[in-house]
Amino acid sequence: MTAQHNGVVIDVSFAEAFPMKATRILITAHNATWAMNAAVSATGFATSVIACGCEAGVERTLGPDETPDGRPGVSVLIFSMSGKELAKQIERRVGQCVLTCPTTAVYAGIAEGEAVALGRNLRFFGDGWQISKVIDGVRYWRVPVMDGEFVAQETTAVTKAVGGGNLLFMATDVDAALAVSEAAVAAMKRLPNVVMPFPGGVVRSGSKVGSKYASLSASTNDAYCPTLYGLVDKTQITPDTRCVMEVVIDGLTEADVAAAMKAGIQAGISIGRAGGLVRIGAGNYGGKLGPFHFHLHKLLP
Amino acid sequence: MTAVRIELTLRQAPPLRVDLRGLLPATLADLTVAQIEQLPCGHGNHSVPLGEWFSVQRHEIDGDQSALRLVGDCSRFDRIGTGLQAGQLTVEGPAGDYVGAGMTGGELLVQGDAGLLAACEMAGGRLQVQGSVGDWAASALPGGMDGMRGGSFIVGGDAGERFGDRMRRGTAVIHGRAGDLLASRMVAGTIAVAGPVGARPGYGMRRGSLVLAGPACTPGPTFVPAIADVPVAWQLLARSLARHGGAFATLAQRRMQRHLGDLSAQGKGELILVEP
């Protein structure tokens, strides 16, 4: 059974998501541009845990009144499959992308949860000139650098999170699929506690589990490839759906991912069949891989 | 949950000094009024029951933190709140020497002045003296290697000499003036003073932050002026200190000049002179 909204078919399907570990860090700088430079760099090459080690993205920009030091900032969410891997990614990314970026400082954006190192090990860059400062029970490290001081909170907190929420937009052509995906990502970005880790929030290489090659655990989702229409047995492609884009969502809680998916579905429906959107579906593995199931029909406006 | 509030009202001032160590909210909570009155206190060379000096009242209250109130001029009672770990202790009047020494938690409020060595070797909790404190506050006990090493210590009035000697961690705030050799041999931590300070502030300090928000003073010859701004660390510190109000309320908006030293020690400390 399917439902149509503004001419768009909503599949009777669900997105299957899985537990992850996450943290939020706040990056501030002399101005918003340099805070964003650091954030973009720190969240680069972080699209999928399959090969990046983590999935990360910019959550939102922060005004001077929202940051610990009164400067403009950016909040960043980083997700990984284990706390240990997450700790490794935080250290590498903050060390190489935030410590190095002019005028930045970095703070924990989550208070509750297991503490992992943020500035604790980066302080050794100071070669003995680093200074510890405990303010209101929170330890900060002040590391001398060539533009002054790099200030980093000693630890950040790791919390349980949900990764792999997704929507599949099936459209008449590339223009329509991009327009819908961009609108959905824009709607999701207005919500807190979620990031869409792929380039521009959109992924065109949706995958299925397994491959004909033994060494690969995932391979192209041939059922959604328009170039394989007429070649594969169980295709999801029809003559009027010639381009499919996926938006993947990682969030701090199940409710956050659900809210983002709801906003994405709403954005797609608003564009409607007239805008080229034919179907909205979701990726799952039969319900066996992840404990979080986001049924599209329960998310309808 | 019920807790206990115990009120000790001073009946007469003792002729000699009295040692009140061990008189803590959590310790007294399980005792009856009669048992509290029989608690031995050192008075000169003798041990005298507490009831000799104080009348005792005991009330059950809502909450999970027991409270102890000492009412009257306790300036001859030493070591009030020594080793305090939890609960609230209030002195409605002045207190003697060693108030809050070695406390690790809880809240201690002195509504008058305090004597020598207040908050010495304090490691946690919050100690507020609304009046002034004597010499060697927030410092080490005689023979001790480290002074104050944690918690918050707020002085509403003035502080004597050698405030924060060998202080290692924590935050101490003085709303009035401070005596000579403020933060001498300081190892680390934060001391902020709203009023004028005496001779040689930061003498021999190795690390730590000394914030002087009062009239301009000249750092000693073993301090060097810093040419680089540290806006982030200053904002974090100033915003935290601003919560103490008074002269500190506007710290984050004021300009400051840093001096590094003491170069005769390790030289990693900072003396922050805040401009008006």
Side-chain angles (χ1 to χ4, degrees), chain A residues 47-78:
Chain A
T47 56
S48 168
V49 289
I50 292 173
C52 303
C54 70
E55 299 180 6
V58 169
E59 183 188 20
R60 68 186 183 93
T61 56
L62 302 167
D65 54 334
E66 298 175 285
T67 59
D69 57 26
R71 304 189 302 169
V74 177
S75 77
V76 164
L77 294 176
I78 307 175

Side-chain angles (χ1 to χ4, degrees), chain A residues 64-126:
Chain A
D65 54 334
E66 298 175 285
T67 59
D69 57 26
R71 304 189 302 169
V74 177
S75 77
V76 164
L77 294 176
I78 307 175
F79 298 78
S80 206
M81 295 306 284
S82 71
K84 195 176 171 186
E85 178 64 26
L86 182 64
K88 192 167 89 179
Q89 291 292 330
I90 292 168
E91 195 166 305
R92 286 183 174 180
R93 288 167 183 273
V94 174
Q96 299 303 310
C97 306
V98 184
L99 163 65
T100 57
C101 182
T103 74
T104 57
V106 63
Y107 309 96
I110 295 178
E112 301 292 322
E114 184 196 349
V116 296
L118 186 59
R120 183 191 286 156
N121 299 325
L122 300 177
R123 75 176 195 256
F124 294 113
F125 183 71

